[in-house]
Amino acid sequence: MDFGFSADDEAFRAEAKAWLRAHADPDLDRRTWERTLGAAGWIGLSWTATGYGNRSATLTQQVAWAEEYARSGAPPRSGHIGEKLLAPTLLAHGTEEQKGRFLPPIAAGDELWCQGYSEPGAGSDLAAVRTVAVRDVRGGYRITGQKIWTSLAHEADWCFVLARTEPGSRRHQGLSFLLVPMDQPDRIDVRPIRQLTGTSDFNEVFFDGAHARVEHVVGGEGQGWQVAMSLLGFERGVSTLAQQIGFARELERVVKVAVETGAVADPVLRDRLVRQWAELRTMRWNALRTLGGSGDAGASSVAKLLWAGWHQRLGELAVAVRGAGAAVGPVDWAPSAPYELDPLQHLFLFSRADTIYGGSDQVQRTIIAERVLGLPREPKGVV
C-alpha cells in the first residue's frame, strides 16, 4: 500500500498529542485510565463505525494515535485485550446480541478482558487444549481445566476461553469459544506467576465448574478453532509500530549508558549498537510496508521473529554496556525491597521471554516454512 500521513492525519495526531499531554498521568490506576480513554472516545478506533460507543479512525490515524500514545508516557493499557482482540472477533463472528452486550462496555473502558488460550500442555500447540465445557441442567456450560500465562487475569472482568465442548474430540475438532465472567468465587481461582523480574504480569487460572451461558458461545458450538485463529490474526498490526516507539526509547537509554560508562569506545559494542539502530529502522519500514495488507500468511510471523530477536539482543546489550555494574541492584537490600531492578536490568530479564510468548520462534519458523514456502509438514511423532 502507499503509506503516508495526510493533512487530516497530522491534524488527528496533533489532537491526540494535545489530549495525551493534558490527561496522561502515569500514577492513575489502570481502570480509571481506561474509563478516561473511553469517555474521550479513544477506545475502538480500529473498529468500523459500529454505533457501539466508539469512534472510528483511518489506518494512518490509528498509527498516529498509537505512536503518540507510546511517546506520551501514559499508563500501560489494561483494556487492549478486549479492544484489540475480542472486539474485532465479535464484529466478525458474534451475534448482534453479543455485539450489543459486550462492545459498549469495552468502548467505555468499563469491562476488562483476559485471554484463556494457553495451558500447561498446550502453549504453542494450541490444538492440544484439554479444558472442557459440558452442558449443565440449566442449558449453560460448566468449565473445568487450567489456563496459564494469562495476562491481566487478576484485573479482568471477563475471559474468552477456548474449551473442548465435544467429548472425545481431538486436536482442532470439538472446540468452542466461550465468554466467561471472572467473578465466580470458588469456581475460578487466579494465581499470580512470579517472573524472573520479580513482578507478576501473568497468572494461572483454574476453572472448577465455572459457568458460561449458552448464548455466550461465539461463532457456534464446535467452531472454536476457526474463531480462535481469526482472533490471532488481529493480534499484530498497528500495535507493532507503537511497540517500536518504545523500543527506540529503550535503545536511546542503552546508548546513553554506553556513553556514560565509556563502553561506546569498544568497537565491538559500538558496532552492536549501530546494528540495533539500523535493524530498528528496517523493522519500521517493514511494518509500514505490510500494514493494512492481506493475504500474506507469513507477515505476522516474520514481524514476530524480527522484533523478538531484536529486543532480546537489546536486553543483552543493556547489561553489556554496564559491565560488572549490571549485577548490582539500584538500592541496598532490605526486607521491604528484597528484589529491586533498574530499567536496564528489567529489560534484560523480561526480554528473555520475547522469543517464547506470543508464539515461539520455532512455531513462527514452522508457519513460514509450511504456509509461505510450501515445505512439507513436519511428520507427526518425530522428536
Side-chain angles (χ1 to χ4, degrees):
M1 66 178 292
D2 182 17
F3 191 93
F5 293 102
S6 67
D8 287 343
D9 295 336
E10 293 302 340
F12 184 90
R13 182 189 293 277
E15 179 190 357
K17 186 175 183 178
W19 187 89
L20 286 163
R21 186 183 298 118
H23 295 88
D25 181 355
D27 295 326
L28 275 180
D29 69 85
R30 289 185 174 188
R31 194 171 287 268
T32 299
W33 176 238
E34 289 298 323
R35 288 173 174 150
T36 301
L37 289 169
W42 294 113
I43 298 176
L45 298 180
S46 62
W47 310 352
T48 54
T50 59
Y52 291 116
N54 67 303
R55 66 171 176 178
S56 60
T58 66
L59 187 60
T60 46
Q61 289 169 349
Q62 294 169 41
V63 172
W65 164 256
E67 290 183 334
E68 293 308 319
Y69 191 98
R71 293 187 178 107
S72 70
R77 292 291 309 279
S78 286
H80 62 285
I81 295 175
E83 178 191 6
K84 303 295 186 182
L85 299 183
L86 179 66
T89 303
L90 288 179
L91 290 169
H93 301 282
T95 65
E96 291 304 314
E97 291 75 13
Q98 289 169 349
K99 296 173 191 176
R101 164 59 185 86
F102 292 109
L103 293 179
I106 294 173
D110 285 335
E111 289 184 348
L112 305 181
W113 286 80
C114 61
Q115 175 175 302
Y117 273 19
S118 295
E119 297 181 8
S124 296
D125 184 13
L126 190 58
V129 158
R130 294 193 295 176
T131 294
V132 298
V134 298
R135 287 291 189 102
D136 63 18
V137 294
R138 294 188 296 171
Y141 293 91
R142 291 293 177 184
I143 303 168
T144 303
Q146 178 187 359
K147 298 295 182 177
I148 199 167
W149 313 121
T150 309
S151 300
L152 304 176
H154 57 293
E155 299 181 12
D157 304 294
W158 288 82
C159 181
F160 48 90
V161 176
L162 191 63
R164 201 163 292 283
T165 50
E166 181 182 326
S169 61
R170 292 176 55 81
R171 303 299 296 167
H172 312 91
Q173 306 302 317
L175 296 169
S176 296
F177 189 99
L178 304 163
L179 309 180
V180 183
M182 292 292 286
D183 185 15
Q184 299 192 48
D186 301 324
R187 298 183 184 275
I188 297 180
D189 183 19
V190 178
R191 302 178 189 176
I193 299 173
R194 190 177 186 188
Q195 300 157 215
L196 199 61
T197 56
T199 56
S200 298
D201 299 305
F202 307 113
N203 305 270
E204 294 178 284
V205 182
F206 295 86
F207 298 93
D208 185 9
H211 180 70
R213 294 165 63 176
V214 68
E215 60 266 33
H216 291 167
V217 178
V218 180
E221 186 174 290
Q223 302 302 309
W225 183 257
Q226 291 79 1
V227 177
M229 292 301 99
S230 175
L231 180 143
L232 291 176
F234 300 122
E235 198 164 13
R236 302 178 182 108
V238 170
S239 60
T240 300
L241 288 160
Q243 179 190 54
Q244 291 169 8
I245 299 294
F247 286 172
R249 295 173 68 179
E250 290 176 337
L251 177 58
E252 289 172 4
R253 185 180 291 123
V254 172
V255 171
K256 180 180 178 181
V257 171
V259 172
E260 292 172 349
T261 62
V264 74
D266 182 328
V268 174
L269 283 177
R270 188 166 63 247
D271 179 72
R272 289 171 63 186
L273 289 167
V274 172
R275 183 177 293 273
Q276 288 292 119
W277 177 86
E279 289 177 353
L280 182 58
R281 297 297 297 174
T282 302
M283 285 195 295
R284 175 173 172 77
W285 291 115
N286 180 65
L288 292 173
R289 179 183 65 83
T290 59
L291 191 64
S294 60
D296 187 347
S300 63
S301 291
V302 169
K304 175 59 166 59
L305 279 173
L306 288 174
W307 74 252
W310 184 92
H311 199 228
Q312 201 167 83
R313 291 191 297 275
L314 181 67
E316 292 163 357
L317 263 175
V319 295
V321 300
R322 295 268 299 277
V328 180
V331 297
D332 291 337
W333 186 93
S336 60
Y339 193 73
E340 296 296 311
L341 300 171
D342 64 33
L344 293 189
Q345 291 169 329
H346 186 278
L347 167 61
F348 170 71
L349 292 175
F350 190 85
S351 64
R352 306 317 298 166
D354 286 337
T355 53
I356 301 173
Y357 70 77
S360 69
D361 278 10
Q362 292 86 345
V363 168
Q364 305 304 336
R365 291 190 177 98
T366 297
I367 292 172
I368 294 168
E370 295 178 354
R371 301 183 189 177
V372 181
L373 302 179
L375 297 178
R377 291 183 174 272
E378 184 176 343
K380 297 300 181 184
V382 174
V383 294

